[in-house]
Every structure is written in C-alpha cells, then in structure tokens.
Amino acid sequence: MLSETQIALVQKSFTRAVPRAEVLMIRFYERLFELAPETRSLFPEDMQAQRANVVSTLATVVRSLANLEPLLADIRALGMRHTGYGVKDEHYAIVGEALVWSLEETLRPAWNDATADAWAEAYRILADVMIEAAHGRSNDGRN
Ligand code: HEM
C-alpha cells in the first residue's frame, strides 16, 4: 500500500524524469541487460519503440497511483501479454531493480531513500497485478 506521501514522491520524481525520459530508458535497459543478459533476446533488436511504450505506460500508471482501479483491466492484460513475450515471474524483481537504479542515476542529486522506497513499492504493486494475471489470478492492486 502506498501512502499519500509516497504517491507524491513518485509523481514529483517522475515529472522531473520526463524531460530525460530517453536517457532514463537507455540506462534502464542497459542495466537490465547487465543484470539479466538472458532477457536481451526477448526484446526486438531496435528498442526505440519499446522505450517509448514503457515510458507512456509508466506515465499513465504514475498519474493514477491514487486510484489504480480504472487501470486494473489494462494492467492485467499487459501481464498476460508478457507471458507471451517469454517473461518469467523472477524477471519482475530484476526489472524493478533496474528501474529504480536508472531513476536514481538520472535524477541524482534530487533523490533520496524515501523516493527509492516509494518507487520500489509502486513497482511491486504493479508487478504483482501483472504476475497474478499471468497466472490467471486477479488482485486489486492494493496489497
Ligand atoms: C511493471 C512492469 C512492466 C511494465 C509496465 C511493462 C510495460 C511494457 C509495455 C507497455 C510493453 C509494450 C507491449 C505491450 O503493451 O504489450 C512491453 C513489452 C515487453 N516487455 Fe514489459 N513491462 C513490464 C515488465 C516487464 C518484465 C519484468 C520483462 C522481463 C524482461 C518485460 C519484457 C518485455 C518484453 C520482452 C516485451 C516485448 C517487446 C516486443 O516484442 O516488442 N517487461 N512491456
């Protein structure tokens, strides 16, 4: 569960990251492929469209953190599509680590532990909904 303070930290930091979204995403995938090289082959050669897709999904989710309910069906469908991409449950934690790392790299020095924790929690909520959906289960994105 995210507190109001945590929601504000995620939203404020994401707003600051948006003008640097391209470099954020380049760093994110570089880090992911360093941490989990086996995931590189799941993605297309040209990552341009992928980077843009992920930023726009993140923007939608970040904007809606106070009430994810209207987005849950889309997030579940996204989780189910990820099974088709060859994504495994264990990849989610690594992607979360790469995301928080790349945000810190991009936003430093405007970064602190509370912001990192808020992002980790927001990502965990999102990832849990996707993972549960990939297994044919549903949760309400609150846990
Ligand atoms: C919160 C977590 C995640 C979000 C928001 C997210 C978002 C997205 C989006 C928006 C797409 C575009 C295609 C579509 O809409 O179906 C996509 C594709 C993809 N994602 Fe994710 N993703 C997440 C987690 C992961 C994880 C953990 C992996 C594991 C490595 C992963 C690997 C992929 C791959 C391989 C594709 C397909 C690329 C292609 O063939 O074009 N994603 N993701």
Side-chain angles (χ1 to χ4, degrees):
M1 187 82 178
L2 283 168
S3 68
E4 276 180 36
T5 311
Q6 287 180 308
I7 291 173
L9 285 173
V10 170
Q11 290 178 336
K12 219 171 65 184
S13 53
F14 190 72
T15 302
R16 281 199 307 265
V18 166
R20 279 173 274 172
E22 181 75 9
V23 73
L24 171 71
M25 283 292 109
I26 289 171
R27 280 181 178 144
F28 163 70
Y29 283 108
E30 268 175 15
R31 185 65 172 168
L32 174 61
F33 299 148
E34 233 169 65
L35 293 171
E38 73 279 9
T39 61
R40 179 62 188 95
S41 61
L42 305 179
F43 291 91
E45 182 91 14
D46 181 353
M47 294 292 286
Q48 189 100 35
Q50 178 67 19
R51 290 196 289 264
N53 271 337
V54 170
V55 168
S56 104
T57 302
L58 281 178
T60 306
V61 171
V62 165
R63 203 183 313 124
S64 312
L65 278 178
N67 178 21
L68 281 180
E69 182 68 36
L71 286 185
L72 285 180
D74 285 350
I75 297 171
R76 288 189 184 115
L78 182 64
M80 288 186 259
R81 289 199 297 279
H82 275 66
T83 309
Y85 302 146
V87 172
K88 305 278 177 241
D89 290 0
E90 55 270 25
H91 291 144
Y92 280 89
I94 305 168
V95 162
E97 195 183 324
L99 179 65
V100 176
W101 182 90
S102 57
L103 282 162
E104 174 171 4
E105 283 294 302
T106 307
L107 293 176
R108 243 180 4 209
W111 187 260
N112 55 36
D113 287 351
T115 308
D117 288 349
W119 269 99
E121 178 64 3
Y123 176 83
R124 193 186 63 77
I125 290 170
L126 191 59
D128 280 355
V129 174
M130 290 175 67
I131 292 169
E132 293 293 297
H135 291 281
R137 301 185 292 258
S138 66
N139 69 27
D140 63 8
R142 282 168 206 271
N143 53 329

